[in-house]
Amino acid sequence: MHVGLIGLGKMGFHMRERLRRNGIDVTGFDRNPVVSDVMSLTELAADLPSPRVVWVMVPAGAVTDAVIAELAEVLSSGDLIIDGGNSRYDADLRNAQKLASAGIRYVDCGVSGGVWGQENGYALMVGGSDEDIALAMPVFDALRPGGSRERSFVHAGSIGAGHYAKMIHNGIEYGLMQAYAEGYELLAAKDIITNVPGVMHAWQDGTVIRSWLLDLVVNALEDDPELSRIAGYAEDSGAGRWTVEEAVAGGIPAPAITAALYARFASRQDESPAMKMVAALRNQFGGHAVKPAGDNDGTQSGVQPPAAVDGTGSPE
């Protein structure tokens, strides 16, 4: 199978490599010519067999909308666009409707795995028709981890369902990160605890709170035991806000997720050991930039894990 991939940033770059490693031919396009395989979307479309399958992996919102509009000019009836970024689900409905008039098919895909996905694989949540998802199934199988498909892939429902599921996933992620971060702060504040990293390391096996996020907590502490190089400032990438908005609209109580979102707001006002851990975790799993300690002017910069690649497309 031969697909197009637009957006070779922190996730898209690694996705291209994983696809190629698993037998999928990929023509990649990025505004950065250093990483791009072709110089235009027209050239990308000409390089793909029919029906063309094009994965879009760029920042949500205006950038995604613009790329999809450009693709509509160079693709044909029967071709398929997959939005693998962090778009809001109602944007999927609008874009799918616009493309339908030209006969271009559309699938939305929520992706989790961050900069570690090239090696570990990505969890995928997709929305769309059975026929369109079947066409793209070799791509999904190449990207997800090995083993049972049910543990790494779900056809969540109709168009928009994949990104809605990923939005809720990210809201849960906010709450989990906040719980680990608050536990870290409680340990660090107690004078009888002399080995905070060791305590959290001891929780990695056999406990009911073991998880990959806990593994990343330990990674962060091994690199910087007191998080002295990171400011207690954590951004939010949109999905947490959207999850809270959905909870309010539906009258569904979501106190943990809401509190975690508000804690990020608070992090922009005062130094906080817990928010240092949230910032460190975002850097660990997604390659999100962190602010150096002492820099609290609201501008993040700089510190990236070794696997990160600068560019577009980095959903949390």
Side-chain angles (χ1 to χ4, degrees):
M1 188 172 187
H2 187 175
V3 302
L5 176 60
I6 300 172
L8 302 172
K10 284 181 287 190
M11 285 186 69
F13 182 89
H14 297 299
M15 292 173 77
R16 177 176 62 176
E17 299 313 303
R18 184 173 179 87
L19 287 168
R20 288 173 173 172
R21 183 189 306 165
N22 287 293
I24 303 294
D25 291 329
V26 183
T27 298
F29 172 74
D30 194 273
R31 301 297 182 188
N32 177 3
V34 174
V35 297
S36 191
D37 299 316
V38 293
M39 293 300 105
S40 69
L41 294 185
T42 300
E43 189 178 346
L44 179 141
D47 198 46
L48 299 177
S50 184
R52 303 177 185 92
V53 175
V54 180
W55 187 295
V56 177
M57 201 70 186
V58 300
V63 177
T64 292
D65 292 345
V67 169
I68 288 175
E70 287 185 59
L71 280 173
E73 299 297 319
V74 297
L75 297 183
S76 304
S77 178
D79 293 341
L80 172 65
I81 293 174
I82 304 169
D83 179 3
N86 237 22
S87 295
R88 187 170 171 136
Y89 71 96
D90 48 6
D92 295 315
L93 303 177
R94 293 192 300 271
N95 283 325
Q97 187 174 25
K98 292 175 184 176
L99 292 168
S101 61
I104 298 171
R105 299 184 282 179
Y106 184 92
V107 164
D108 62 286
C109 182
V111 180
S112 182
V115 295
W116 300 79
Q118 180 178 339
E119 296 301 324
N120 299 338
Y122 304 88
L124 306 171
M125 299 143 268
V126 303
S129 72
D130 290 339
E131 179 184 5
D132 294 346
I133 289 169
L135 175 62
M137 204 66 226
V139 179
F140 298 139
D141 280 338
L143 288 172
R144 67 179 187 82
S148 171
R149 182 181 289 172
E150 288 72 21
R151 290 179 60 87
S152 58
F153 172 87
V154 62
H155 180 181
S158 57
I159 289 172
H163 281 144
Y164 191 91
K166 180 55 166 41
M167 177 183 71
I168 302 305
H169 164 282
N170 282 17
I172 293 169
E173 179 187 292
Y174 274 51
L176 291 173
M177 285 197 292
Q178 189 64 30
Y180 284 126
E182 290 173 8
Y184 161 77
E185 182 168 2
L186 285 164
L187 290 170
K190 196 65 174 176
D191 57 4
I192 62 174
I193 299 291
T194 58
N195 186 0
V196 175
V199 171
M200 304 197 88
H201 181 63
W203 292 346
Q204 287 181 276
D205 292 310
T207 73
V208 296
I209 62 168
R210 63 189 184 273
S211 72
W212 185 51
L213 276 176
L214 180 58
D215 294 341
L216 296 180
V217 167
V218 172
N219 285 356
L221 291 175
E222 287 177 348
D223 181 57
D224 186 1
E226 297 181 355
L227 302 182
S228 60
R229 301 197 300 269
I230 298 175
Y233 180 108
E235 278 288 0
D236 65 287
S237 300
R241 296 190 190 207
W242 299 342
T243 303
V244 172
E245 289 171 3
E246 285 294 312
V248 172
I252 298 170
I257 295 170
T258 303
L261 174 64
Y262 282 19
R264 295 199 183 188
F265 296 162
S267 81
R268 299 162 204 174
Q269 300 170 358
D270 301 298
E271 279 293 311
S272 165
M275 298 318 297
K276 285 189 176 190
M277 178 55 75
V278 171
L281 279 170
R282 294 180 80 246
N283 182 251
Q284 286 284 323
F285 74 76
H288 299 283
V290 299
K291 289 177 42 177
D295 177 9
N296 203 32
D297 64 0
T299 303
Q300 289 190 298
S301 63
V303 183
Q304 302 279 358
V309 175
D310 289 338
T312 58
S314 58
E316 181 175 353

